[in-house]
Amino acid sequence: KMRNLVRVALVLLVFAGFSEGRGVSRGGGLGDFRAAADDKKIADFDFVDFDGKKRKFSEFKGKIVLIDFWATWCGPCLADIPKLKKLYETYKSQGFEILGMNSEAIGDEDPSTDPAAAKEAAMRAKQIVKTRGVTWVQANSATSLPIAVKVFGVTALPTKVVVDGDGNILARIGEKDDTEKIVAGILAGK
């Protein structure tokens, strides 16, 4: 019970920091990351992957990265997985990467209100990734959600953002856009 209270307090601190236009830094975090949804260049950001490992977006420096904001309840997100697998297999050798951002609570006013539901959603997300053979890096929902909302201005799923090796946003891709065509075009002009 105390652990849940600590988690709720941390989430509230993070969101309080973001409401002032800056992230809360606890040995990293988003720090002074202020890229708005319309900015063309992003700064480095931290996230935790599905294995619990602390990571940085800068690990992808020099690569074209498709950041995929998704959730287990999002049918179109799940329907995109085979297409994304094909893209990844086709272009990985050309410096293309995908970073999955599990955004389970997007649109919820207070995602911290039900820790049991958050834990179940995290287990579902890991199961989907495993059973569908997804091999690219996945960021957990706790670290993805602030990035999705405050950094990229994501309000609906699926949303994908393509970023070049220097952190420049090259494309924002919505549900009805042709992800394969956009990525192929970007890589052809690389």
Side-chain angles (χ1 to χ4, degrees), residues 86-101:
K86 183 179 176 192
L87 277 174
Y88 193 60
E89 292 164 6
T90 302
Y91 296 113
K92 184 172 173 37
S93 65
Q94 296 177 37
F96 174 72
E97 287 290 337
I98 299 175
L99 172 57
M101 301 292 275

Side-chain angles (χ1 to χ4, degrees), residues 4 15 33 44 50 54 59-60 62 65 94 104 107 111-112 114-115 127 130 141 144 148 152 156 174-175 179 184:
N4 287 339
F15 280 102
F33 188 22
D44 197 10
F50 273 14
K54 290 182 180 181
E59 294 174 32
F60 299 98
V65 182
Q94 296 177 37
E104 289 300 316
S112 64
D114 191 351
Q127 188 63 30
K130 181 180 176 184
S141 187
S144 294
F152 291 99
E175 179 181 352
T179 303

Side-chain angles (χ1 to χ4, degrees), residues 45-146:
F45 58 82
D46 297 352
F47 63 94
V48 177
D49 69 19
F50 273 14
D51 294 324
K53 181 179 174 188
K54 290 182 180 181
R55 311 280 299 258
K56 289 185 166 290
F57 184 69
S58 58
E59 294 174 32
F60 299 98
K61 187 164 178 60
K63 298 178 184 264
I64 300 292
V65 182
L66 182 144
I67 304 172
D68 177 33
F69 297 97
W70 69 281
T72 60
W73 50 262
C74 172
C77 298
L78 302 180
D80 278 348
I81 292 174
K83 296 174 200 168
L84 293 176
K85 284 175 66 175
K86 183 179 176 192
L87 277 174
Y88 193 60
E89 292 164 6
T90 302
Y91 296 113
K92 184 172 173 37
S93 65
Q94 296 177 37
F96 174 72
E97 287 290 337
I98 299 175
L99 172 57
M101 301 292 275
N102 180 14
S103 304
E104 289 300 316
I106 198 110
D108 286 356
E109 287 185 31
D110 185 1
S112 64
T113 56
D114 191 351
K119 186 175 182 177
E120 289 170 14
M123 290 187 328
R124 276 194 314 273
K126 288 179 182 181
Q127 188 63 30
I128 286 170
V129 165
K130 181 180 176 184
T131 58
R132 297 191 183 203
V134 173
T135 58
W136 52 87
V137 175
Q138 298 289 323
N140 71 18
S141 187
T143 54
S144 294
L145 192 59

Side-chain angles (χ1 to χ4, degrees), residues 15-24 30-35 150:
F15 280 102
F18 284 128
S19 68
E20 293 180 10
R22 62 183 184 279
V24 173
L30 294 174
D32 199 26
F33 188 22
R34 291 190 177 103
K150 300 296 181 181

Side-chain angles (χ1 to χ4, degrees), residues 148-171:
V149 173
K150 300 296 181 181
V151 174
F152 291 99
V154 175
T155 58
L157 298 178
T159 295
K160 295 168 185 55
V161 179
V162 181
V163 180
D164 74 8
D166 294 320
N168 298 301
I169 296 174
L170 302 177

